C-alpha cells in the first residue's frame, strides 16, 4: 500500500475508538439518534481512509504500471471498486 501509512493508521484507530464508543452507547441503551450520529461519523472517517487508499492507488499503482496491459488491469480494478462503493 502506497498511501500515507501514518495518516491511514491514525484514521483507522480513530474509527476503532468511535466503534468502541458506539458499542458502549448500545450497551447503555442510549438515544437512537445519538447512536446513529456516531455511526455516521465513523462511516465518514472510513470513507476518508478509503479515499486515501484509492488516491494512492491511482498515483502510484496505476501511474507506475509497467505496461499498458498492467495499467488497464489496475484501472479496471479501480472501476470495479468504485462500482461497489457507489452501490
Amino acid at each position: 500500500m502506497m498511501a500515507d501509512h501514518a495518516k491511514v493508521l491514525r484514521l483507522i484507530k480513530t474509527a476503532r475508538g468511535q466503534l468502541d464508543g458506539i458499542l458502549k452507547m448500545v450497551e447503555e441503551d442510549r438515544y437512537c439518534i445519538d447512536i446513529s450520529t456516531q455511526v455516521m461519523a465513523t462511516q465518514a472517517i472510513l470513507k476518508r481512509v478509503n479515499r486515501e487508499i484509492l488516491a494512492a492507488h491511482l498515483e502510484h499503482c496505476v501511474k507506475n504500471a509497467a505496461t499498458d496491459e498492467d495499467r488497464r488491469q489496475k484501472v479496471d480494478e479501480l472501476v470495479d471498486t468504485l462500482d461497489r462503493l457507489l452501490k
Side-chain angles (χ1 to χ4, degrees), residues 2 56-66 70-71 74:
M2 299 303 293
H57 178 71
L58 274 173
E59 187 63 33
H60 298 282
C61 299
V62 174
K63 188 176 175 182
N64 298 323
D70 288 343
R71 194 172 298 108
K74 303 262 185 239

Side-chain angles (χ1 to χ4, degrees), residues 14-27 30-48:
T14 300
R16 180 176 59 189
Q18 285 184 311
L19 283 172
D20 289 340
I22 293 167
L23 283 169
K24 185 176 180 185
M25 291 174 79
V26 170
E27 291 169 350
R30 299 270 298 273
Y31 187 56
C32 299
I33 298 300
D34 293 341
I35 295 169
S36 179
T37 299
Q38 291 305 309
V39 168
M40 288 185 285
T42 305
Q43 288 172 325
I45 288 175
L46 292 174
K47 284 181 182 181
R48 285 178 56 199

